[in-house]
Amino acid sequence: MGDGLMEGPNPTTHYSTTTRVAAIVWIVIAVLLLLDVVLRGEGRQAWIAGALLATTVSATYLVWLRPRVVSTERGLRVVNPLRETFVPWAAVLWVDVTDVLRVHTPNRVVRSWPLRETKRQRVRDNVRRDSGYLDPDAGDEDPAGMRPVNLAARQLRQDAERYKTRPLSGPIRDVDEAGPAALGAEDEPQTMVPLEVIVVIAATAVLLVAVFLLA
């Protein structure tokens, strides 16, 4: 599983390239199938098929396309399928990888859904390192030899060091600055279910109920 990077002046986005490509491919296929159902399908079965295809598009968007980790000037946006957590830089103690990328804070560990380590031996080594059986700095010196998720963790640790030296003060009031979960956040991680997720799930549920009851 590859880790992609969208970079600009600010923010920097880390995501799984593999799942994003798979999501885009499936959404294109589902839309073509949906058009075929609309043009050639008839009766209740066509409505049900169309509703199920639309449901797979919603699920693909939430599970594969939407999740990411965004490094902003204010902190980290950890966007998972159903929830989003904002971690201010002041609360970031460490970023590492076991089976997934993890952001350590004073009170809890925030796990990232999309940034995963898929190689079993690497997962075992990461768990042993987390348990103190391996040198915590082993394999963390040469970026060219690092696996994508470990490289993302390394870059996020560097971001934490950089932004902590020049922190921005005051509560966050602009959703575009660091995401909806950051609104009003100060020094503690904040988690929420974004409106975007609620709308997608509600619209899909209404569509399914309407088709199965009325078609």
Side-chain angles (χ1 to χ4, degrees):
M1 179 184 297
D3 169 50
L5 182 67
M6 284 194 298
E7 199 166 7
N10 187 64
T12 300
T13 302
H14 301 267
Y15 56 88
S16 169
T17 303
T18 305
T19 54
R20 283 210 166 191
V21 170
I24 293 170
V25 169
W26 172 248
I27 288 173
V28 170
I29 293 172
V31 169
L32 292 176
L33 291 173
L34 190 57
L35 288 174
D36 183 65
V37 168
V38 170
L39 294 175
R40 299 198 299 174
E42 294 181 359
R44 187 170 187 269
Q45 295 301 318
W47 281 99
I48 292 175
L52 292 178
L53 283 170
T55 300
T56 67
V57 170
S58 298
T60 299
Y61 170 73
L62 291 176
V63 176
W64 284 359
L65 196 58
R66 180 177 177 275
R68 61 200 184 276
V69 175
V70 186
S71 174
T72 76
E73 289 186 333
R74 291 286 200 155
L76 287 176
R77 291 179 64 190
V78 182
V79 182
N80 289 331
L82 299 181
R83 299 192 303 174
E84 176 172 332
T85 300
F86 175 75
V87 186
W89 290 120
V92 177
L93 300 179
W94 189 248
V95 182
D96 66 2
V97 180
T98 51
D99 57 327
V100 297
L101 183 141
R102 308 183 304 174
V103 180
H104 296 260
T105 75
N107 299 318
R108 59 177 169 140
V109 176
V110 179
R111 294 166 62 87
S112 167
W113 168 274
L115 300 183
R116 295 176 170 271
E117 176 56 76
T118 57
K119 191 173 182 180
R120 291 184 181 181
Q121 182 59 50
R122 279 289 186 176
V123 173
R124 287 194 291 267
D125 288 346
N126 291 338
V127 171
R128 292 182 66 197
R129 185 177 294 110
D130 184 55
S131 302
Y133 292 107
L134 291 179
D135 180 359
D137 294 325
D140 200 26
E141 289 104 12
D142 182 12
M146 297 175 66
R147 289 178 63 79
V149 183
N150 292 91
L151 182 59
R154 181 177 186 268
Q155 292 172 338
L156 293 174
R157 290 195 295 268
Q158 292 173 344
D159 287 347
E161 292 177 5
R162 181 170 69 254
Y163 287 121
K164 282 182 178 182
T165 62
R166 48 183 181 86
L168 300 177
S169 60
I172 300 168
R173 294 189 172 89
D174 184 359
V175 69
D176 294 329
E177 185 177 357
L183 294 181
E186 294 185 357
D187 295 327
E188 296 292 330
Q190 190 163 275
T191 299
M192 68 172 294
V193 178
L195 179 62
E196 169 190 13
V197 172
I198 296 172
V199 168
V200 170
I201 292 176
T204 304
V206 169
L207 174 63
L208 287 173
V209 170
V211 167
F212 279 95
L213 291 182
L214 304 177

